[in-house]
Amino acid sequence: MTMFTNGFSTLTMPEDFEKIPPKDEFTELYLVNTKIPMSIKFLTTPTLSGLPEIMDGIEKNLEGNDRIDLVTSDFILINDNLYYMVVSSFSDGENQVRRNEFMYVEDDNLYVFEFTYPYADRELDDFYLNIIRSLKISVPKYIVEDGSYRINHQ
């Protein structure tokens, strides 16, 4: 079992996935498995919004997008923590693709897990829930104050 840590949070990485360098400041981990095919992203971003506001914003954005179908949107408990889960599907031109996103807010930090894979694949509930359940937050990465944020150097 391989672990990912950035000094702020730790989680289990699945076997047979290749680590890809992140392309933005908020993506902590980006993994790809071309055999499945599947990608996994883990992001941390500063936020002053709670999960209900995040849900409202995402649902409004998806309603206005004809290319993405909202499959389900709900709150769920994982490890006694409340997560917002949104499942959507879209076409990449050749295949129908499914994206499962799980969002959790703690200490003004939004933690996002994004799993993208072909819609035809079997359900992967245990696979992605085991990764999410492995999340351990040592300290919040971002300190949000006075309308801006900074990295927590504690």
Side-chain angles (χ1 to χ4, degrees):
M1 178 180 334
T2 307
M3 300 299 285
F4 161 80
T5 187
N6 61 4
F8 303 100
S9 52
T10 303
L11 57 93
T12 303
M13 294 190 312
E15 300 294 325
D16 300 326
F17 277 75
E18 179 184 344
K19 195 172 177 182
I20 305 294
K23 296 183 180 181
D24 64 71
E25 73 174 295
F26 299 117
T27 300
E28 307 289 344
L29 180 65
Y30 184 49
L31 301 171
V32 175
N33 183 329
T34 56
K35 293 175 189 164
I36 297 179
M38 178 184 227
S39 69
I40 301 171
K41 275 188 189 179
F42 172 63
L43 302 95
T44 306
T45 182
T47 187
L48 289 175
S49 298
L51 289 178
E53 293 124 330
I54 292 168
M55 180 183 83
D56 289 343
I58 288 174
E59 287 183 354
K60 284 178 186 167
N61 284 338
L62 289 177
E63 284 173 12
N65 191 331
D66 325 358
R67 297 178 57 219
I68 300 175
D69 295 319
L70 179 63
V71 176
T72 188
S73 169
D74 207 351
F75 296 104
I76 63 169
L77 281 177
I78 302 174
N79 289 353
D80 296 325
N81 296 317
L82 187 64
Y83 279 76
Y84 168 56
M85 174 187 73
V86 60
V87 178
S88 58
S89 68
F90 58 94
S91 175
D92 69 0
E94 294 179 25
N95 301 304
Q96 194 69 10
V97 178
R98 180 174 173 145
R99 180 172 34 226
N100 296 9
E101 296 174 272
F102 297 84
M103 295 161 221
Y104 172 66
V105 174
E106 182 178 307
D107 296 326
D108 298 329
N109 282 243
L110 171 64
Y111 301 90
V112 180
F113 291 89
E114 180 184 295
F115 303 87
T116 306
Y117 57 96
Y119 201 85
D121 275 4
R122 61 182 172 74
E123 289 299 314
L124 297 166
D125 293 352
D126 285 336
F127 175 80
Y128 53 72
L129 287 174
N130 286 336
I131 295 169
I132 296 168
R133 286 182 187 120
S134 76
L135 176 65
K136 303 287 184 257
I137 301 167
S138 304
V139 296
K141 181 174 183 176
Y142 298 104
I143 304 291
V144 181
E145 56 191 6
D146 302 325
S148 66
Y149 66 90
R150 61 181 168 81
I151 299 274
N152 182 357
H153 293 290
Q154 292 184 14

